[in-house]
Amino acid sequence: MQFHIDALDTLSSARAATITTENGSIETPIFMPIGTTGGVKAVHFRELEDTIGAQIILGNTYHLYLRPGIEVIQEAGGLHGFNGWKKPILTDSGGYQVFSLSDRRKISEEGAKFHSHIDGAKHLFTPEKVIDIQRIIGGDIMMAFDECLAWPCEYKVAKKSMELTHRWLQRCLTRYAETEPVYGYHQTLFPIVQGSTFMELRKQSAEVIAGKNCEGNAIGGLSVGEPAEQMYEMTDAVCKILPADKPRYLMGVGMPDNILECISMGIDMFDCVIPTRNGRNGMIFTKQGIINIRNKRWEKDFSSLDDLDNFASKGTSKAFLRHMLMQNEILGCQIASVHNLCFYLWLVNEARMHIKAGDFSSWKNRMVKQLMTRL
Amino acid sequence: MQFHIDALDTLSSARAATITTENGSIETPIFMPIGTTGGVKAVHFRELEDTIGAQIILGNTYHLYLRPGIEVIQEAGGLHGFNGWKKPILTDSGGYQVFSLSDRRKISEEGAKFHSHIDGAKHLFTPEKVIDIQRIIGGDIMMAFDECLAWPCEYKVAKKSMELTHRWLQRCLTRYAETEPVYGYHQTLFPIVQGSTFMELRKQSAEVIAGKNCEGNAIGGLSVGEPAEQMYEMTDAVCKILPADKPRYLMGVGMPDNILECISMGIDMFDCVIPTRNGRNGMIFTKQGIINIRNKRWEKDFSSLDDLDNFASKGTSKAFLRHMLMQNEILGCQIASVHNLCFYLWLVNEARMHIKAGDFSSWKNRMVKQLMTRL
């Protein structure tokens, strides 16, 4: 994997870069749509590629491991072969879902025992097993297995958990070094900074992670309920420690303003369920602000969702999308998801252009206010 | 509306024709996807037009009247303006939904009183009101208000109901003659043959309907649970009475073999929820036969759904679609619906080509067996 910085902003730590993988290159800052169980919810791959301009998507190891199972994915030639998406894929480690979705989980030094949220069957994820699974899924970027804590938590708990995550990371790295890519192309591994909202722990974790000299680094355990200010403080401090010549990935963030603020701190990669999940529930992001399309205000508003040049944004009226979502029509979920993802990809691409043009900070400050206006 | 017969089959009553409306022409035999509440479930208009090749879609008067309501549709410039579909639209009369969906309905000479299935509110559909509503929805083809009976029913009940439908038809025709198109283009009105599965009543109804000299005629009240043989007998007898120089529309039919058999009797137009509704539940129609994609047999079958040349059929493996539908993913519903509609439109277009080529009957007999094979 290669990482080339194309431009640096002068008034902030924002940068525009290019990540090159054997399955394609990624221009940053980038937003990665989430292909939970192998497909992005309510969005076809053709739309991801042609309409939305996605350059990389996520696959969730936890979901794919449970269904369809690793054997099916391996026989299909990996997730790329299974779902037909040819561009880069990033797989998470399953840690977040083990902690948020599964029933009765138990953490030990060995790993995480959990019961499937589907059928209650017992499973064990160890750092080694999670690397093996991700090898088979075939993501271009794999993630280290980490413990994800709820917020708030006590300092002692956060410290103990961070140390466990660091020991698990070492086991991930060992397994990674011992194993080969399954499908011929290079698979890299990103470690994850933890430490909850304790500055001391975050800095300590960032130092440990930076010291591993991986091809990219991630920040986890944020956007889990803490105030945005704390998320920004942690992200900013960690970005200052993580190497500037490697991509930085902020996991699970966030709203459009969060993304712009974190780009200004030096984050290159984002993922979040917000554009799709909130879209299905009627939250529509536009250049003018946020629309709750279920509001009666839009019942007879026949203007386009936004002036973004694609069939969903320009070709759908607010009134029609409102009607579809009020009727619980799948078509409403499709249109809302395609539009919101178009908006997110437009936003990070605009950020990139402004970084290259040298006016990112003033643009960002203006946009942050505008984008969060409730229309 | 114009109806031009392009070719007649020599061994059957099948014909290939062209219906011309002011919003576009329709090459028959044609299958019309159902846009229940204004959109086809899980299928975007872009896919209907570019991928599926739909030439006309249906709107359900009952659904559109309740939500978003006639006022919204009128302000949008009719259903074409509301949903953005530019090609022909046919609206049903709401009769079928009043009888199948609504709570506590009461039929009288005046019309049908019913309670909305959404909020229980009381409504009254009369023949006059149903014409007024359809005028505002703006369908190119409107349907007369009829009473739909369950099957089986007694002869006396069927006769009384048919006579009521005939009296309602006269009121529809009177209202139709008194009113003008709302949006400038011509709207036509099709009457509907009823009579349950009683040959005498069907023939009598067909004579009455033929005598109205409308621009096209429909057959309702079939495919409601009766054996296919009875449906064929009724359709065949009615087709022989309905004028040959007008389009014949068989409402709510059906499976691929039903469609081919009824084309051979002289039916030109079809609609049915089967390709979309059954698709969402995992029934996939292919040239080789019918697949229940949820069957474990397809878990590791990475071959394409079918060789139809579109992104859904050729670009999706059976294993991937199975996984999506097993996971209740919206994307699975999208792919299944697009594929099945592609298949239905391919099928009627193939029928048309074979009618024109002069080998429809032998092709039809071969296909009927093949298409209904359970794979």
Side-chain angles (χ1 to χ4, degrees):
Chain A
M1 202 188 83
Q2 290 175 331
F3 183 69
H4 179 264
I5 293 179
D6 304 318
L8 292 169
D9 184 46
T10 45
L11 297 174
S12 77
S13 298
R15 67 261 192 91
T18 304
I19 300 168
T20 308
T21 78
E22 287 182 55
N23 283 313
S25 61
I26 303 150
E27 295 191 327
T28 71
I30 191 68
F31 180 83
M32 308 182 282
I34 301 184
T36 317
T37 62
V40 175
K41 286 185 187 296
V43 180
H44 196 275
F45 298 97
R46 166 174 104 119
E47 294 160 341
L48 283 173
E49 188 160 350
D50 299 344
T51 308
I52 294 161
Q55 299 178 46
I56 172 171
I57 63 171
L58 245 75
N60 286 130
T61 290
Y62 172 89
H63 289 291
L64 292 166
Y65 163 79
L66 292 177
R67 299 275 170 86
I70 294 310
E71 196 188 325
V72 171
I73 292 180
Q74 183 153 25
E75 283 198 33
L79 185 54
H80 287 99
F82 187 54
N83 68 15
W85 175 254
K86 303 293 179 219
K87 298 189 176 188
I89 291 175
L90 181 147
T91 50
D92 65 8
S93 67
Y96 183 78
Q97 278 77 27
V98 164
F99 300 100
S100 65
L101 274 186
S102 69
D103 298 327
R104 290 167 294 163
R105 62 197 172 271
K106 204 180 158 194
I107 311 300
S108 66
E109 190 62 34
E110 183 188 16
K113 277 186 187 152
F114 62 94
H115 293 251
S116 157
H117 73 289
I118 300 168
D119 59 5
K122 283 187 204 173
H123 298 278
L124 170 66
F125 271 3
T126 64
E128 293 79 12
K129 183 163 182 186
V130 159
I131 295 299
D132 293 347
I133 295 169
Q134 289 186 85
R135 283 288 196 199
I136 292 171
I137 297 175
D140 302 85
I141 300 173
M142 311 190 294
M143 300 303 298
F145 191 55
D146 59 342
E147 188 185 10
C148 298
L149 290 177
W151 186 90
C153 71
E154 287 179 28
Y155 179 86
K156 272 193 314 192
V157 174
K159 184 170 192 295
K160 205 178 141 196
S161 169
M162 179 196 74
E163 288 164 353
L164 179 66
T165 288
H166 292 168
R167 290 193 300 276
W168 282 359
L169 169 60
Q170 196 47 57
R171 288 165 58 192
C172 283
L173 288 166
T174 302
R175 185 63 148 225
Y176 176 68
E178 291 166 359
T179 53
E180 293 288 328
V182 179
Y183 308 105
Y185 55 83
H186 177 63
Q187 298 180 278
T188 193
L189 178 67
F190 283 14
I192 303 171
V193 173
Q194 287 289 351
S196 188
T197 47
F198 301 103
M199 185 56 83
E200 183 190 330
L201 297 181
R202 280 285 168 185
K203 286 182 174 174
Q204 198 179 322
S205 186
E207 295 287 357
V208 169
I209 267 55
K212 300 300 181 186
N213 203 25
C214 290
E215 292 183 294
N217 299 290
I219 308 172
L222 290 177
S223 212
V224 290
E226 78 284 2
E229 278 315 310
Q230 288 195 36
M231 186 262 279
Y232 291 146
E233 280 168 33
M234 299 298 135
T235 300
D236 196 36
V238 169
C239 278
K240 288 186 164 70
I241 296 169
L242 293 179
D245 61 345
K246 308 279 178 65
R248 300 186 190 110
Y249 164 29
L250 179 58
M251 305 181 77
V253 173
M255 291 288 277
D257 60 331
N258 301 148
I259 288 178
L260 293 188
E261 295 294 2
C262 294
I263 287 173
S264 79
M265 296 168 191
I267 296 292
D268 308 294
M269 302 165 71
F270 299 89
D271 78 283
C272 192
V273 293
I274 284 177
T276 41
R277 181 180 296 165
N278 294 22
R280 295 196 299 279
N281 291 321
M283 183 182 277
I284 303 300
F285 298 95
T286 78
K287 291 181 192 169
Q288 277 66 50
I290 297 172
I291 287 175
N292 175 1
I293 202 76
R294 304 177 76 91
N295 195 303
K296 189 152 176 86
R297 169 169 179 194
W298 311 110
E299 189 181 28
K300 295 179 187 171
D301 187 326
F302 303 111
S303 65
S304 292
L305 298 179
D306 204 343
D307 65 358
L308 294 173
D309 194 17
N310 67 75
F311 75 90
S313 309
K314 207 178 254 180
T316 312
S317 74
K318 297 179 182 81
F320 184 70
L321 179 57
R322 176 180 190 272
H323 171 57
M324 286 290 105
L325 285 172
M326 294 297 280
Q327 294 292 110
N328 296 318
E329 283 286 352
I330 288 176
L331 181 56
C333 296
Q334 295 172 247
I335 293 172
S337 301
V338 170
H339 163 76
N340 276 353
L341 285 177
C342 282
F343 180 82
Y344 266 64
L345 269 292
W346 168 83
L347 185 66
V348 294
N349 189 52
E350 282 289 298
R352 177 178 169 86
M353 295 204 303
H354 284 283
I355 293 165
K356 291 172 84 173
D359 64 350
F360 172 76
S361 292
S362 59
W363 173 80
K364 186 264 290 180
N365 290 335
R366 196 170 64 244
M367 287 302 281
V368 159
K369 279 183 205 133
Q370 188 174 315
L371 296 180
M372 299 313 287
T373 307
R374 298 280 170 158
L375 298 175
Chain B
M1 200 188 83
Q2 292 175 329
F3 183 69
H4 178 264
I5 292 178
D6 304 317
L8 292 170
D9 185 46
T10 45
L11 297 174
S12 76
S13 300
R15 66 259 194 91
T18 304
I19 300 169
T20 308
T21 78
E22 288 182 55
N23 283 312
S25 61
I26 303 151
E27 295 190 327
T28 71
I30 191 66
F31 180 83
M32 309 182 280
I34 300 184
T36 319
T37 63
V40 175
K41 287 185 187 295
V43 179
H44 195 276
F45 298 97
R46 169 174 101 119
E47 294 160 343
L48 282 173
E49 186 158 354
D50 300 345
T51 308
I52 295 161
Q55 299 178 47
I56 173 170
I57 64 172
L58 245 76
N60 286 130
T61 289
Y62 173 89
H63 289 293
L64 292 166
Y65 163 79
L66 292 177
R67 299 276 171 86
I70 293 311
E71 196 189 323
V72 171
I73 291 180
Q74 183 153 22
E75 283 197 32
L79 186 55
H80 287 100
F82 187 53
N83 69 14
W85 175 255
K86 305 292 179 216
K87 297 187 176 188
I89 291 175
L90 181 149
T91 50
D92 65 9
S93 67
Y96 184 78
Q97 279 77 27
V98 164
F99 300 101
S100 63
L101 274 184
S102 70
D103 297 328
R104 290 167 295 163
R105 60 198 173 270
K106 204 179 160 194
I107 310 300
S108 67
E109 190 63 36
E110 183 188 16
K113 276 187 187 153
F114 63 95
H115 293 250
S116 158
H117 73 290
I118 300 169
D119 59 7
K122 285 185 201 175
H123 298 277
L124 169 67
F125 271 3
T126 64
E128 293 80 11
K129 184 164 181 184
V130 158
I131 295 299
D132 294 346
I133 296 170
Q134 290 186 85
R135 282 286 195 199
I136 292 171
I137 297 174
D140 301 85
I141 300 172
M142 311 190 293
M143 300 302 299
F145 191 54
D146 59 341
E147 188 185 12
C148 298
L149 290 178
W151 186 90
C153 71
E154 287 179 28
Y155 179 86
K156 273 196 311 193
V157 174
K159 184 168 192 294
K160 203 177 142 199
S161 168
M162 179 197 75
E163 288 164 352
L164 179 65
T165 289
H166 292 168
R167 291 192 299 276
W168 282 359
L169 170 60
Q170 195 47 56
R171 287 166 57 192
C172 284
L173 287 167
T174 302
R175 186 63 148 223
Y176 175 70
E178 291 166 356
T179 53
E180 293 289 325
V182 180
Y183 309 105
Y185 54 83
H186 178 63
Q187 297 180 276
T188 193
L189 178 67
F190 283 14
I192 304 171
V193 174
Q194 288 288 351
S196 188
T197 45
F198 301 102
M199 185 57 83
E200 183 189 327
L201 297 181
R202 282 283 170 186
K203 286 182 174 173
Q204 198 179 321
S205 185
E207 296 287 358
V208 169
I209 268 51
K212 300 299 179 184
N213 202 25
C214 291
E215 292 183 294
N217 299 291
I219 307 171
L222 291 176
S223 211
V224 291
E226 78 283 2
E229 278 316 309
Q230 288 196 37
M231 187 262 281
Y232 292 145
E233 281 168 32
M234 299 298 136
T235 301
D236 196 36
V238 169
C239 279
K240 287 184 164 70
I241 298 169
L242 293 179
D245 61 346
K246 309 276 177 71
R248 301 187 189 108
Y249 164 29
L250 179 58
M251 305 181 80
V253 174
M255 291 288 277
D257 59 333
N258 301 148
I259 288 178
L260 293 188
E261 295 293 3
C262 294
I263 287 173
S264 79
M265 296 168 190
I267 296 292
D268 307 295
M269 303 164 71
F270 299 89
D271 77 285
C272 192
V273 294
I274 284 178
T276 42
R277 182 180 294 166
N278 294 23
R280 295 197 299 278
N281 291 322
M283 181 181 278
I284 304 300
F285 297 96
T286 78
K287 291 180 193 171
Q288 276 66 51
I290 297 172
I291 288 176
N292 174 2
I293 202 75
R294 303 177 77 92
N295 196 303
K296 190 152 175 84
R297 167 168 180 196
W298 311 109
E299 188 182 26
K300 295 179 186 171
D301 188 324
F302 303 110
S303 64
S304 292
L305 297 179
D306 204 343
D307 66 358
L308 294 174
D309 194 17
N310 67 76
F311 75 92
S313 310
K314 206 178 250 180
T316 311
S317 74
K318 298 180 181 79
F320 184 70
L321 179 58
R322 175 180 192 273
H323 170 56
M324 286 290 105
L325 285 173
M326 294 298 279
Q327 295 293 110
N328 296 318
E329 284 285 352
I330 288 176
L331 181 56
C333 296
Q334 295 172 248
I335 293 171
S337 302
V338 170
H339 162 76
N340 276 353
L341 285 178
C342 282
F343 179 82
Y344 266 63
L345 268 293
W346 167 84
L347 185 66
V348 291
N349 189 52
E350 282 288 299
R352 177 178 169 85
M353 295 201 309
H354 284 283
I355 293 166
K356 291 172 81 171
D359 64 350
F360 171 77
S361 293
S362 59
W363 172 81
K364 186 265 290 180
N365 289 336
R366 195 169 67 244
M367 286 302 280
V368 159
K369 278 184 205 131
Q370 188 173 316
L371 295 179
M372 299 312 289
T373 308
R374 298 281 171 156
L375 300 175

